[in-house]
Amino acid sequence: MAIKTIIEPFRIKSVEPIRQTTREERRRLLEAAGYNLFLIPSTDILIDLLTDSGTGAMSTEQWAAMMRGDESYAGSPSFTRFRDSVQAIFGFKHVIPTHQGRAAERILFSVMCKKGDVVPNNTHFDTTRANCEFVGAEAVDLPVPEASQPSLVHPFKGNMDTAKLAQLIERVGAKRVPLVMLTVTNNSGGGQPVSMANIRAVKEICARHAIPLYIDACRFAENSYFIKQREPGYAGKTPRAIAQEMFRHADGCTMSAKKDGMANIGGFLCTNDDAVAQHERDLLILTEGFPTYGGLAGRDLEAIAVGLNEALEEDYLNYRIVSTAYLGDHIAKEGVPIVQPPGGHAIYIDARAFLPHVAPTEFPGVALAGELYVEGGIRSVEIGTLMFGEHATMDLVRLAIPRRVYTQSHIDYVIEVILEVWKRREAIRGLVLTHQAPFLRHFTARFRPLAMAPARPATP
Ligand code: P61
């Protein structure tokens, strides 16, 4: 009989100690941080699931490549290796390095959009929305209706609603839509994939109106693997061939190499349009750097050149997707409400369903994230009322899994901690916001616990 256990497809050469704290210490730390996990030092965190961005472990091949990094200001061979590696997968004519994803977004929107324009996306990530709105354009989210029902299982909940896209273009006119974007996988919507059929359908609509299609490619390898597993006709193709096909439908992309680039920093912007590329490089020089390094060291370009290929390895992707689902399936089996099916890079707990007695105005996601920290030193992030204010339609707690960092026993520990909190959920109280910044308030907000309901006097 074939062996069924899926193992981590690597062994560990360098280790980083993590520190246990006591429950009393964590209570004190949480209170001192105003119940905001962003404000707790990482040395006081045991398992850090705040983000999968820039937090992955690099391979021996990546470290070796970094030693080859050529730090020449112009014309570095490290750039040539980076560009060749990107082009072999993404296929675009122009490859512009940036220090991270949001820098690519800023340059793209500055060049392509102006006040009054409309940019449709399956769901804009917060930095994408912010950069789009910064140039005066309107960021419009067009997810399929299935995406807003956390417990509903659907293979491609990251898809864009193509009927709504066609209507939107009809309503505002193609002239006001300088580009359409697709985020793969859809981060704000639960790490859910976009199907090849949807990419094709979106491209057809764009082509009819001569609107370019851009892909926010952060988690392109995970999206390719979901297509291989779930979409008819793709089971026999490699993730690499699927990624190449995805990008053939697009006119360009933005990328944060901190995700499926397997690097700790970096990003890039691609396009097939010569005139657009020229403008983008001009802007790049102004704030990021010369076009052969774009804000990155030569060694960073080398790490990304290798990392992009490692992210597409089938053993790695199988381990990645299966181990994320392992966490989701084990807590869901015990009744914990999560966004279904499990995402590629993260599990999203539905905090409104977990804490039905805590109103959205009392920040159930922030309260739950705080309790996971007190119970077991786990750091997660709220994606809900704190992050999106009145626009929030869900209150989620995201447990993002850094790449190649934690083993199965770490995840077993996380499962146990979540289930302990689940058992005592009725005693968890909501929070009152005591401080907030004028924008991106989730980073620095502070809270205090809601007062307990006054105890009823024993005798009248
Ligand atoms: C994350 F709390 N994501 O998921 P940059 N597009 C997409 C992303 O997921 C993304 C970027 C563009 C992060 C980091 C993060 O308020 C926050 O390289 C789909 O981070 O600039 C980043 O790429 C931007 C977490 C970003 C946050 C902003 O955890």
Side-chain angles (χ1 to χ4, degrees):
M1 209 176 75
I3 304 290
K4 288 199 201 72
T5 307
I6 293 164
I7 60 168
E8 288 87 3
F10 49 80
R11 54 185 181 172
I12 298 164
K13 179 176 268 179
S14 182
V15 297
E16 200 179 358
I18 49 177
R19 194 173 81 89
Q20 283 281 5
T21 45
T22 64
R23 178 183 278 262
E24 287 65 41
E25 279 179 285
R26 293 193 293 271
R27 277 241 172 263
R28 270 201 309 277
L29 284 158
L30 187 65
E31 203 186 319
Y35 294 81
N36 183 345
L37 297 178
F38 277 103
L39 304 180
I40 293 189
S42 66
T43 42
D44 293 322
I45 305 287
L46 187 65
I47 308 274
D48 203 345
L49 307 183
L50 184 76
T51 178
D52 65 320
S53 179
T55 52
M58 292 210 297
S59 67
T60 48
E61 287 302 318
Q62 284 178 291
W63 284 110
M66 284 181 84
M67 287 305 294
R68 208 168 46 221
D70 179 309
E71 305 301 344
S72 304
Y73 193 95
S76 162
S78 297
F79 172 72
T80 314
R81 281 190 281 273
F82 164 83
R83 184 198 57 206
D84 292 352
S85 175
V86 173
Q87 275 177 337
I89 299 163
F90 294 71
F92 299 113
K93 189 168 172 195
H94 300 280
V95 179
I96 298 167
T98 59
H99 82 273
Q100 64 184 88
R102 67 197 72 181
E105 292 165 358
R106 186 185 62 80
I107 293 171
L108 175 74
F109 293 129
S110 302
V111 168
M112 300 205 44
C113 301
K114 57 181 189 314
K115 201 170 170 348
D117 283 348
V118 175
V119 179
N121 197 323
N122 44 353
T123 310
H124 288 85
F125 189 62
D126 68 348
T127 56
T128 328
R129 169 174 289 277
N131 275 297
C132 181
E133 291 174 350
F134 190 70
V135 297
E138 188 190 344
V140 179
D141 293 339
L142 300 176
V144 287
E146 289 84 352
S148 56
Q149 300 168 57
S151 61
L152 184 94
V153 177
H154 180 283
F156 290 106
K157 262 173 139 174
N159 283 353
M160 179 180 270
D161 189 324
T162 49
K164 287 214 182 105
L165 174 65
Q167 283 161 18
L168 177 74
I169 298 171
E170 209 62 49
R171 184 163 58 78
V172 303
K175 277 208 170 62
R176 279 180 62 202
V177 185
L179 74 158
V180 171
M181 284 193 95
L182 274 175
T183 306
V184 303
T185 56
N186 186 0
N187 188 10
S188 324
Q192 301 293 319
V194 178
S195 71
M196 193 72 81
N198 190 251
I199 296 174
R200 225 180 284 125
V202 169
K203 174 64 191 175
E204 267 168 34
I205 296 170
C206 290
R208 233 181 283 150
H209 300 278
I211 299 171
L213 171 63
Y214 276 70
I215 293 183
D216 177 341
C218 294
R219 298 175 181 87
F220 76 97
E222 292 168 8
N223 201 82
S224 301
Y225 197 67
F226 278 124
I227 289 178
K228 181 179 169 76
Q229 286 187 316
R230 297 181 185 173
E231 193 159 353
Y234 287 93
K237 298 201 168 144
T238 62
R240 189 183 183 83
I242 296 169
Q244 288 163 335
E245 183 178 334
M246 272 171 23
F247 294 115
R248 270 202 298 276
H249 295 299
D251 301 279
C253 75
T254 54
M255 172 74 185
S256 168
K258 300 173 76 172
K259 284 84 172 175
D260 279 348
M262 299 287 214
N264 300 122
I265 195 71
F268 51 88
L269 170 60
C270 291
T271 178
N272 285 333
D273 186 317
D274 296 341
V276 165
Q278 185 58 50
H279 280 141
E280 289 173 346
R281 287 202 179 95
D282 292 346
L283 256 183
L284 187 83
I285 289 172
L286 199 61
T287 57
E288 293 281 300
F290 192 71
T292 59
Y293 75 87
L296 294 171
R299 53 181 170 270
D300 300 325
L301 296 168
E302 297 276 0
I304 298 165
V306 176
L308 290 170
N309 291 307
E310 290 183 354
L312 286 168
E313 280 169 15
E314 212 151 327
D315 274 358
Y316 159 73
L317 280 170
N318 190 31
Y319 140 78
R320 172 82 177 148
I321 301 301
V322 167
S323 58
T324 304
Y326 177 89
L327 167 57
D329 291 344
H330 275 75
I331 57 173
K333 189 170 87 206
E334 300 300 325
V336 177
I338 63 166
V339 172
Q340 289 285 8
H345 68 295
I347 294 301
Y348 297 65
I349 299 176
D350 179 353
R352 285 189 192 172
F354 196 111
L355 301 174
H357 56 285
V358 178
T361 49
E362 297 164 7
F363 302 98
V366 184
L368 177 55
E371 291 302 322
L372 295 177
Y373 176 67
V374 169
E375 189 68 39
I378 297 169
R379 177 153 67 176
S380 53
V381 71
E382 187 253 20
I383 297 191
T385 304
L386 175 60
M387 195 178 267
F388 297 121
E390 74 219 35
H391 302 295
T393 54
M394 297 188 273
D395 277 284
L396 305 174
V397 172
R398 186 184 74 172
L399 303 153
I401 318 288
R403 292 167 181 76
R404 305 189 290 206
V405 168
Y406 294 117
T407 63
Q408 184 167 346
S409 68
H410 289 118
I411 299 300
D412 284 334
Y413 171 87
V414 172
I415 293 167
E416 207 179 323
V417 169
I418 295 169
L419 295 180
E420 281 305 311
V421 176
W422 176 240
K423 275 189 220 150
R424 59 179 179 81
R425 63 191 179 278
E426 280 164 21
I428 297 172
R429 286 175 288 158
L431 296 164
V432 179
L433 188 63
T434 56
H435 164 82
Q436 61 176 319
F439 46 83
L440 290 174
R441 65 177 181 168
H442 57 291
F443 291 120
T444 53
R446 297 183 74 87
F447 298 87
R448 65 171 167 74
L450 201 63
M452 289 282 238
R456 241 181 269 138
T459 47

